[in-house]
Amino acid sequence: LGEFNAIWRVPVAVSGTLGLGERGPAVAWVRQSLQAFGTLADGPADVDVYDAEVEEAVRRVQMQFGLLPDGIVGLETLLALSTRDQAGPRLARLTP
């Protein structure tokens, strides 16, 4: 019931929504993120096609996070995918 700010890291190439038929570096990042979640089988790192297999893997991640499983990578799904980024950022408790 209040306000909050969310900070996360995604590659510069990732902007806007991504869906079936898209191509490019943003899709390659999505594929790598899905592989990190274990919802997409490992494959070549340079594949940049958003196909039916990626769409289904996105739906599985969306369901894990309680998001609408529409298979489209939008803002909330990007936030969910970025949680596997080992470089952070991470929540931390401040101690006085």
Side-chain angles (χ1 to χ4, degrees):
L1 299 176
E3 293 185 16
F4 67 92
N5 293 310
I7 300 172
W8 73 94
R9 182 187 329 237
V10 295
V12 174
V14 179
S15 63
T17 60
L18 296 168
L20 198 57
E22 302 272 350
R23 294 179 159 273
V27 176
W29 178 83
V30 167
R31 291 181 76 97
Q32 291 170 358
S33 298
L34 293 168
Q35 290 168 352
F37 268 95
T39 59
L40 184 66
D42 288 343
D46 61 347
V47 174
D48 67 352
V49 179
Y50 199 117
D51 56 17
E53 184 181 17
V54 171
E55 185 180 54
E56 184 55 36
V58 167
R59 281 192 176 105
R60 287 192 293 272
V61 167
Q62 289 169 328
M63 286 189 283
Q64 286 177 13
F65 280 85
L67 304 174
L68 175 68
D70 59 6
I72 297 170
V73 177
L75 183 62
E76 290 177 334
T77 304
L78 283 173
L79 181 57
L81 290 174
S82 72
T83 62
R84 293 293 171 133
D85 183 352
Q86 297 300 317
R90 298 280 180 256
L91 291 175
R93 183 175 302 231
L94 297 177
T95 55

